[in-house]
Amino acid sequence: MINMDFDGDGNTDILWRNTSTGENYVWYMNGATFNGSAQIMTVSDQNWQIVGVGDFNNDGSPDILWRNTSTGENYVWYMNGATFNGSAQIMTISDPNWQIVGVGDFNNDGNPDILWRNTSTGLNYVWYMTGATYSSSAQIMTVSDPNWTIAGPK
């Protein structure tokens, strides 16, 4: 399960990004009940997209994974709730066909890993991560039909 509890109350919260203004907010939830919100830093450059959430520094608070669709840069924002606490760059992948399509602990080591899909070739890879550091990768079965997309948690 991906930790989306930004306020530490045990309930899953919702991370929002305004694709026009670049504003980012967390909605604090109690089930389906809205309990308030907090703004996270605005990122007005729309080439930067939120592509996943995971606790990359193992501090119990979800961190935000960003990808720049123009340059291929990738960053993790370390968060303490809705407060930005610094960042770490992850290896750049400049080929725009490679997209981050998920975050999860694929090797069960307690660290979030990154799921990549090549939208041109259908190749799929998991990057095994230790924090924000790439350690190795594994190929998953190729799905070359472009009508199939990965719809799991981001």
Side-chain angles (χ1 to χ4, degrees):
M1 177 72 178
I2 294 176
N3 177 10
M4 287 285 293
D5 180 11
F6 283 88
D7 60 355
D9 67 355
N11 294 299
T12 300
D13 301 314
I14 300 172
L15 178 60
W16 287 90
R17 176 157 173 76
N18 184 309
T19 58
S20 176
T21 66
E23 292 174 282
N24 304 291
Y25 277 86
V26 173
W27 277 10
Y28 300 123
M29 304 298 293
N30 182 3
T33 302
F34 174 77
N35 279 344
S37 65
Q39 185 172 14
I40 299 173
M41 274 192 307
T42 296
V43 178
S44 57
D45 181 348
Q46 291 303 308
N47 290 310
W48 284 102
Q49 296 179 358
I50 295 172
V51 293
V53 174
D55 186 5
F56 285 89
N57 59 356
N58 290 313
D59 67 353
S61 187
D63 304 310
I64 301 172
L65 179 59
W66 290 86
R67 177 159 173 77
N68 187 305
T69 57
S70 176
T71 66
E73 293 173 278
N74 304 291
Y75 276 86
V76 171
W77 275 13
Y78 297 123
M79 305 297 292
N80 181 6
T83 303
F84 174 79
N85 272 350
S87 64
Q89 186 172 14
I90 298 174
M91 191 175 5
T92 297
I93 302 297
S94 58
D95 182 347
N97 291 309
W98 282 103
Q99 297 178 2
I100 295 173
V101 294
V103 173
D105 185 3
F106 288 90
N107 59 353
N108 205 26
D109 68 351
N111 293 301
D113 304 308
I114 301 173
L115 178 59
W116 289 86
R117 176 159 172 78
N118 187 303
T119 57
S120 175
T121 65
L123 288 170
N124 303 290
Y125 275 86
V126 172
W127 276 11
Y128 298 123
M129 306 294 291
T130 302
T133 303
Y134 167 87
S135 61
S136 65
S137 63
Q139 184 175 353
I140 302 172
M141 185 183 343
T142 298
V143 179
S144 56
D145 182 344
N147 294 306
W148 287 99
T149 60
I150 295 174
K154 296 224 182 210

